[in-house]
């Protein structure tokens, strides 16, 4: 995909949408060579790339640095950048500065967590010509308020609120909505109630598409194994074994060989 509007086309055609997170240029090059539809520079960069326990330490500088690196590695793939913790909650000028920096860094759209208090801001960003992706369910920037990483919308009231929030985000102009950690039946009914695509993570099979963190799907984070995750590679073992191979050959004196040396 090249543009946010391509997601609407995919949904209309009934084509499932694949999204993965990406934080750096070399992974972006691999993803450019793949068939993945879109890249998300998530604020999960704070956890995956910087070793923090939550996404809260991600700030605008961090997000712009990663967005620019991904854009250099993937000049033509649809790229969505996360608005980091509170970046859209101070004032409209601050919000627009943040959006401007993310777009100048290479983002074609921004993602904003939650609906309450964000609708006018989202409308303003969209009316300024920048596409916005919503994010409901588990919104990790509100982790402390939500009481931890847990499935959202499990009781009737919470489910009705999430369904209503999705409609309000659509009405505010969002081009797509991430649904994170919500029961599949709720994700299905929300998806059916909307005309824009939903992209699920831990939201079952009935959304318009799926997103995973690249390092999770590659099995590079063996300590993180939530129920919703499928790993498609034993990346951690493969990389460790390759590095151990290098270590062994250095210590055996078999690397570098004559062919690998200059005369
Ligand atoms: O930051 C992130 O990686 C995300 C995805 C999990 C949707 O928001």
């Amino acid at each position: 995909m090249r543009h946010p509007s391509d997601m609407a086309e995919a949904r209309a055609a009934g084509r499932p949408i694949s999204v993965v997170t990406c934080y750096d240029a070399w992974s972006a090059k691999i993803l450019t060579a793949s068939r993945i539809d879109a890249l998300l520079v998530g604020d999960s960069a704070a956890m995956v790339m910087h070793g923090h326990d939550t996404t809260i330490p991600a700030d605008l500088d961090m997000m712009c640095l990663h967005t620019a690196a991904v854009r250099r590695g993937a000049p033509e793939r649809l790229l969505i950048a996360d608005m980091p913790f509170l970046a859209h909650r101070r004032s409209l000028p601050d919000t627009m500065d943040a959006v401007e920096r993310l777009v100048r860094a290479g983002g074609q759209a921004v993602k904003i967590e939650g609906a309450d208090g964000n609708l006018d801001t989202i409308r303003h960003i969209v009316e300024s010509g920048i596409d916005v992706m919503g994010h409901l369910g588990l919104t990790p920037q509100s982790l402390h308020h939500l009481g931890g990483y847990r499935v959202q919308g499990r009781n009737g009231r919470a489910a009705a609120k999430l369904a209503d929030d999705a409609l309000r985000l659509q009405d505010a102009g969002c081009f797509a909505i991430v649904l994170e950690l919500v029961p599949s039946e709720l994700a299905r009914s929300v998806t059916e109630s909307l005309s824009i695509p939903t992209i699920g993570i831990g939201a079952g099979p009935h959304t318009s598409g799926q997103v995973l963190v690249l390092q999770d799907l590659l099995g590079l984070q063996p300590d993180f194994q939530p129920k919703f995750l499928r790993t498609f590679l034993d990346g951690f073992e493969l990389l460790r074994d390759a590095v151990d191979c290098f270590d062994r050959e250095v210590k055996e004196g078999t690397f570098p060989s004559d062919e690998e040396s200059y005369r």
Side-chain angles (χ1 to χ4, degrees):
M1 286 183 185
R2 297 284 292 271
H3 304 290
S5 58
D6 295 339
M7 281 201 183
E9 258 179 53
R11 173 174 176 158
R15 263 185 282 118
I17 300 162
S18 60
V19 183
V20 291
T21 65
C22 187
Y23 317 109
D24 61 78
W26 73 269
S27 321
K29 282 187 187 160
I30 297 172
L31 295 174
T32 301
S34 80
R35 286 188 286 269
I36 285 294
D37 288 318
L39 312 184
L40 169 68
V41 183
D43 58 359
S44 50
M47 302 171 77
V48 179
M49 302 300 281
H50 297 269
H52 293 291
D53 288 340
T54 72
T55 60
I56 289 170
D59 61 12
L60 199 55
D61 286 342
M62 186 191 285
M63 294 310 298
C64 288
L65 189 86
H66 289 292
T67 301
V70 171
R71 184 42 93 206
R72 286 190 289 270
E76 304 202 325
R77 199 59 57 98
L78 172 56
L79 196 169
I80 302 141
D82 248 344
M83 286 284 272
F85 183 57
L86 297 182
H88 50 286
R89 298 295 304 185
R90 294 194 183 88
S91 68
L92 195 55
D94 283 344
T95 300
M96 293 315 289
D97 283 349
V99 171
E100 179 177 351
R101 284 189 59 196
L102 288 170
V103 173
R104 285 193 196 280
Q108 289 163 277
V110 296
K111 177 164 77 58
I112 291 183
E113 291 187 7
D116 288 343
N118 291 337
L119 300 174
D120 287 341
T121 307
I122 290 171
R123 259 186 215 102
H124 185 82
I125 298 170
V126 173
E127 283 166 6
S128 308
I130 314 297
D131 287 302
V132 177
M133 177 179 252
H135 185 155
L136 295 174
L138 180 83
T139 44
Q141 292 170 11
S142 314
L143 181 72
H144 302 307
H145 176 68
L146 297 175
Y149 292 102
R150 34 173 94 135
V151 178
Q152 302 295 307
R154 272 196 149 141
N155 66 54
R157 234 176 87 214
K161 162 95 173 96
L162 194 147
D164 188 51
D165 283 352
L167 287 168
R168 293 195 299 151
L169 286 178
Q170 173 174 273
D171 187 53
C174 284
F175 74 96
I177 300 176
V178 167
L179 297 178
E180 180 165 356
L181 276 195
V182 302
S184 337
E185 279 319 307
L186 176 58
R188 183 211 284 262
S189 70
V190 168
T191 301
E192 285 171 358
S193 75
L194 298 175
S195 56
I196 58 173
T198 55
I199 308 295
I201 174 164
H206 308 298
T207 49
S208 323
Q210 300 288 330
V211 56
L212 282 179
V213 166
L214 178 65
Q215 284 75 0
D216 293 346
L217 78 88
L218 294 179
L220 291 168
Q221 309 214 95
D223 295 341
F224 182 64
Q225 293 192 343
K227 176 181 162 83
F228 69 79
L229 177 63
R230 186 180 299 173
T231 49
F232 295 83
L233 186 78
D234 289 331
F236 188 92
E237 282 76 22
L238 279 170
L239 293 192
R240 185 208 49 214
D241 290 353
V243 174
D244 271 348
C245 225
F246 166 70
D247 170 80
R248 193 175 59 249
E249 295 186 12
V250 167
K251 289 174 182 166
E252 286 170 357
T254 56
F255 177 83
S257 63
D258 275 356
E259 293 73 36
E260 289 157 335
S261 307
Y262 298 100
R263 292 183 186 279

